[in-house]
Amino acid sequence: MTTADLTLYYAPRTRAFTALWLLEELGEDYVLESFDLSTGRHKQPDYLALNPMGKVPMVVDRGRAVPEIGAIAIYLADLYAEGGLAPGADDPKRPDYLRWIFFASAIIEPALGEKLFGWTPAPSSLAWGSFDEMVRVATDGVSQGDWLLGETFSAADILVGAGLRFGMMFGALPTDGPIADYVARCTSREAFKRALAIDEREGERFSPQASSEVEAGEDDGGNS
Ligand SMILES: N[C@@H](CCC(=O)N[C@@H](CS)C(=O)NCC(=O)O)C(=O)O
């Protein structure tokens, strides 16, 4: 494993894109350890010792491993508070910020799985309620202002924006309406565009053919 101060373990065209966008928004120096998932790098013993789930993304900061996108977002946005991506611990917006960070991993992700894989929901006994409930709450959240916390962009927008974009790309969410408008605000950010260019470059490096297939089906590149 690398000994650099801040390293992102990354695979192009995956959910790791969310962490890349976060780092581009923060503007801190980082090392990109990029690999193709087909190499199995993320299942090697040294990687599993840091992230037993064997998934990307994972950030390693001065030897401290931080897997899971929610943990990565909270950790980095607080550590680099000058990046302005997180309300402070005592800020009145902090509870809503945390609610949306967890909403991304605990509710959007499985709710999209319900929709895309045709699971039969039992809303009161499932942690994410239902796909329809997720859409109702997300639509309300993205309709309050430009961003989830109002006029201030935060790390919560990166996680929720990436999750909703993922849902749109795979046909689970409509390509117009409040959610699509919000995703368009997210993807028009300069940091998002930089991250997408990096993702496309890395994807092309490992798998040129897959890249051209993705471009044929997507206007703005595909990440899963
Ligand atoms: N719970 C993880 C999920 C990350 C995830 O699903 N990563 C996928 C990439 S899309 C992965 O690493 N898949 C490879 C594998 O499981 O072998 C997070 O939120 O960070």
Side-chain angles (χ1 to χ4, degrees):
M1 311 292 282
T2 176
T3 54
D5 277 359
L6 182 60
T7 302
L8 171 61
Y9 287 85
Y10 188 81
R13 305 190 189 106
T14 70
R15 288 174 178 81
F17 177 80
T18 311
L20 181 63
W21 178 17
L22 176 76
L23 281 163
E24 287 296 319
E25 291 279 359
L26 276 175
E28 294 294 326
D29 289 341
Y30 65 92
V31 171
L32 188 67
E33 278 283 323
S34 181
F35 55 90
D36 195 281
L37 285 182
S38 66
T39 64
R41 174 74 188 88
H42 54 310
K43 305 297 180 188
Q44 296 299 312
D46 63 337
Y47 193 98
L48 292 174
L50 299 179
N51 178 3
M53 288 297 291
K55 298 255 183 202
V56 288
M58 174 171 72
V59 157
V60 178
D61 169 42
R62 293 163 291 167
R64 305 168 187 167
V66 192
E68 292 296 325
I69 189 59
I72 292 169
I74 293 171
Y75 181 85
L76 289 180
D78 284 352
L79 187 65
Y80 299 109
E82 61 279 13
L85 290 181
D90 198 32
D91 189 305
K93 290 185 186 296
R94 182 76 174 184
D96 224 23
Y97 166 75
L98 292 174
R99 174 171 77 92
W100 286 115
I101 294 270
F102 283 86
F103 189 83
S105 294
I107 297 176
I108 295 178
E109 275 279 344
L112 289 176
E114 172 198 319
K115 181 76 172 176
L116 293 169
F117 300 120
W119 301 334
T120 305
S124 60
S125 53
L126 292 176
W128 69 92
S130 69
F131 175 79
D132 291 342
E133 281 293 275
M134 180 279 280
V135 173
R136 180 181 66 75
V137 174
T139 302
D140 186 53
V142 302
S143 304
Q144 304 297 318
D146 274 358
W147 308 114
L148 293 168
L149 302 183
E151 298 318 307
T152 310
F153 181 84
S154 75
D157 292 296
I158 299 171
L159 270 59
V160 170
L164 295 176
R165 173 174 173 265
F166 175 81
M168 281 173 57
M169 282 166 45
F170 285 86
L173 293 167
T175 52
D176 57 11
I179 287 180
D181 292 346
Y182 170 74
V183 170
R185 289 195 289 280
C186 289
T187 59
S188 67
R189 294 181 67 83
E190 290 308 314
F192 179 94
K193 292 180 197 169
R194 283 198 301 277
L196 192 60
I198 295 168
D199 187 70
E200 285 176 350
R201 181 196 72 205
E202 294 299 302
E204 182 69 20
R205 189 156 73 87
F206 297 128
S207 181
Q209 192 183 350
S211 174
S212 52
E213 282 165 12
V214 166
E215 280 161 16
E218 293 288 338
D219 285 339
D220 62 352
N223 302 288
S224 56

